[in-house]
Amino acid sequence: MTAAGPAAGPAAGPAVAPAVVAVVAFDGVQLLDVTGPAEVFTTANMFGARYDVRIVSPDGADVRTSSGLRVGVDGGPQTLPARLHTLVVPGRSDWRRAVADRRLVAFVGELLGRSRRITSVCAGAFVLAETGALDGRRAATHWRLAAQLATAYPRVRVETDPVFVRDGDVVTSAGVTAGIDLALSLVEDDHGADVARDVARELVVFMARPGGQSQFSARLAPRTARHPVVRRVMDAVGADPATPHSLDSLADSAGVSARHLSRLFRSETGRTPGQYLESVRLEAAQALLESGDDSVDTVAEAAGFGSSETMRRVFQQAFGIAPTAYRARFRTTAPAAPIRG
């Protein structure tokens, strides 16, 4: 596979040179680190952008990614123009092998001086750090690797929670799919929020995901329930989260004792019935905030929280932001303003 160039469109005034985006590829690279940003930039061409996305490797040869799939590249350094608009440096989970690849590090180091904007995805931050590009800068990487980046490169100011971090013209992102978040933010920088929003809708992704990386390191998804009693209660809660469910009412409807239902839930999902009910109400509130303009009070009532204050507390615990800030994430990739009070 290779990336598509800028979309052709009707001429309108003087031709504008496409913005060349070079995405570095190398053996063992994370596939989505490469294809995620490339897909965002090329999709933006459908909505008026002019990106010329080129997948390049140090020797111009195709590469085998971490998943075993081969990626066809557009060439090596000699195929790129003297000046690049954006450089994207993906990573590999075994970052030590990446930084030990002197040809790769030298290749990235050469492209740094030719690039107006420098970015990395996931463990690509280690390659940038190896070149010295992150010395004295704030940077992000996958939450599991953040401590290793800080230890291996003490001159880098590692931030563990943000999905991506900007420091001047250097932008580094968290793990794997965060490369999509990063690329959307760059499209917004270049072409405005409307184009970035069109791309997000086309790709069916968040304009900007709520919360930071901590939600992935700290929150665990429930396991699939096999017991029919638990599935029955889950179905009842999912069908009508606004009903004032209680442990006793759920147990009565399932024909078991409250204590037995609690034991079954913990065994099957790792959660209490109350925690599951709260998670369903949270998802319902998310959907209402994403898709409509109802007031926070109305959303809280419709989702079963009873009050906006209760919903605000749950959102803060789950995502670290208030419901109003969560809704704002669907308007722009810019970080939401701090919520006070």
Side-chain angles (χ1 to χ4, degrees), residues 123-170:
F126 287 87
V127 178
L128 282 187
E130 184 68 15
T131 70
L134 299 183
D135 286 356
R137 292 186 181 272
R138 298 162 49 244
T141 189
H142 191 288
W143 62 266
R144 198 186 299 277
L145 301 176
Q148 296 176 44
L149 180 62
T151 300
Y153 300 96
R155 297 187 65 183
V156 180
R157 292 151 52 196
V158 180
E159 298 195 5
T160 58
D161 188 52
V163 174
F164 59 86
V165 169
R166 296 174 182 270
D167 192 321
D169 291 329
V170 178

Side-chain angles (χ1 to χ4, degrees), residues 35-59:
T35 58
E39 194 69 30
V40 170
F41 287 120
T42 54
T43 300
N45 289 339
M46 297 169 54
F47 303 101
R50 283 184 57 79
Y51 292 111
D52 179 1
V53 181
R54 305 191 193 184
I55 311 298
V56 292
S57 64
D59 58 3

Side-chain angles (χ1 to χ4, degrees), residues 11-77:
V16 178
V20 177
V21 178
V23 183
V24 176
F26 51 92
D27 283 335
V29 71
Q30 294 257 56
L31 177 62
L32 198 55
D33 284 11
V34 174
T35 58
E39 194 69 30
V40 170
F41 287 120
T42 54
T43 300
N45 289 339
M46 297 169 54
F47 303 101
R50 283 184 57 79
Y51 292 111
D52 179 1
V53 181
R54 305 191 193 184
I55 311 298
V56 292
S57 64
D59 58 3
D62 294 350
V63 303
R64 186 176 294 279
T65 66
S66 59
S67 64
L69 291 176
R70 295 192 69 83
V71 170
V73 308
D74 296 302

